[in-house]
Amino acid sequence: MALVLCLQVLCSLCGWLSLYISFCHLNKHRSYEWSCRLVTFTHGVLSIGLSAYIGFIDGPWPFTHPGSPNTPLQVHVLCLTLGYFIFDLGWCIYFQSEGALMLAHHTLSILGIIMALVLGESGTEVNAVLFGSELTNPLLQMRWFLRETGHYHSFTGDVVDFLFVALFTGVRIGVGARLLFCEMASPTPKWFVKAGGVAMYAVSWCFMFSIWRFAWRKSIKKYHAWRSRRSEERQLKHNGHLKIH
């Protein structure tokens, strides 16, 4: 069984690496990060669809059955995702593109998935964490692509930022708190699985503080820009021309 799992993870790693190489070949005029983020976007969309199917349709429900035995589909998805996280962590370390917090997130994700695969249980809640974590990932990548192509400061950029902040707050922090409570209250999961859940939720809060600071600064900047436009419009209406300082 262990050999089969290792082969699945190895195939996943080779698949993501091959996809990255293909993107690099197709986007020679772009940076390596551009191709890596295309891989990240692809994994995000794929993992959202698969984990949503597992959680909402295939089951079991993570809020009522934490610590339950892994299903074959859960194992396949966890192996697929483990290969991706190994690829992305290696890329981040090699290119030194991320800070300690993101590296800690990837490391905890890898350890959590390995733990669920080795134990043969708790794939239900690990899959739920995967869904919550990846739900905002495509938006994060879209934000980066918009910035790189010069389209970030637009209505589309504002919509992407709003959806990202709203989903992160509502799902990773709000729903995540409920999932963590169910995990801690259930006698079924192992204590170290629960500890891993606490660590992942703590990392989400660290991200949340940074996101809220960004959202506050952007909101204040938008507000001042709006007041400035309103002031100019009032001057134009009152004087018939803009006042030049």
Side-chain angles (χ1 to χ4, degrees):
M1 183 63 182
L3 179 60
V4 173
L5 291 176
C6 289
L7 286 175
Q8 287 190 59
V9 175
L10 182 60
C11 288
S12 171
L13 175 60
C14 292
W16 294 116
L17 183 60
S18 298
L19 183 62
Y20 170 70
I21 294 173
S22 298
F23 282 142
C24 288
H25 181 72
L26 293 172
N27 298 279
K28 293 180 179 179
H29 60 294
R30 299 289 187 179
S31 65
Y32 291 128
E33 186 173 2
W34 179 282
S35 297
C36 184
R37 286 185 180 270
L38 282 176
V39 174
T40 301
F41 181 86
T42 303
H43 170 262
V45 173
L46 185 61
S47 61
I48 290 170
L50 291 173
S51 58
Y53 176 81
I54 291 174
F56 293 107
I57 299 175
D58 192 63
W61 187 237
F63 296 96
T64 56
H65 295 81
S68 58
N70 299 342
T71 66
L73 183 56
Q74 287 174 353
V75 171
H76 292 322
V77 173
L78 291 179
C79 288
L80 178 70
T81 298
L82 180 56
Y84 162 75
F85 275 120
I86 293 173
F87 157 77
D88 200 49
L89 179 62
W91 193 95
C92 292
I93 293 175
Y94 181 81
F95 287 96
Q96 299 181 347
S97 61
E98 299 292 346
L101 186 59
M102 183 61 74
L103 296 180
H105 170 269
H106 276 34
T107 302
L108 285 173
S109 298
I110 290 172
L111 292 176
I113 294 173
I114 291 175
M115 185 167 53
L117 291 173
V118 171
L119 291 174
E121 62 185 46
S122 291
T124 302
E125 57 266 39
V126 172
N127 176 79
V129 172
L130 173 63
F131 173 77
S133 299
E134 293 299 317
L135 189 61
T136 54
N137 200 305
L139 292 169
L140 185 62
Q141 307 314 317
M142 287 173 62
R143 182 177 183 272
W144 187 88
F145 287 124
L146 287 171
R147 186 180 292 277
E148 284 294 300
T149 55
H151 297 94
Y152 175 68
H153 298 289
S154 63
F155 176 74
T156 302
D158 292 340
V159 170
V160 169
D161 279 344
F162 174 79
L163 291 175
F164 175 75
V165 174
L167 284 175
F168 197 103
T169 304
V171 177
R172 290 188 67 164
I173 301 301
V175 179
R178 176 62 181 172
L179 179 63
L180 182 61
F181 173 79
C182 295
E183 178 82 2
M184 301 300 290
S186 174
T188 307
K190 302 289 192 298
W191 68 267
F192 45 86
V193 176
K194 296 181 178 182
V198 172
M200 282 296 291
Y201 191 66
V203 168
S204 292
W205 265 106
C206 292
F207 281 127
M208 189 74 263
F209 287 134
S210 299
I211 292 169
W212 279 346
R213 284 198 301 268
F214 155 76
W216 175 255
R217 289 196 300 266
K218 183 168 183 177
S219 298
I220 292 299
K221 185 177 179 179
K222 289 284 185 181
Y223 173 71
H224 286 312
W226 174 79
R227 286 198 62 181
S228 177
R229 288 196 303 268
R230 290 280 294 177
S231 177
E232 291 178 352
E233 288 172 0
R234 283 196 297 268
Q235 291 179 14
L236 180 60
K237 183 177 180 181
H238 180 71
N239 300 326
H241 60 85
L242 288 177
K243 184 177 180 181
I244 305 299
H245 295 278

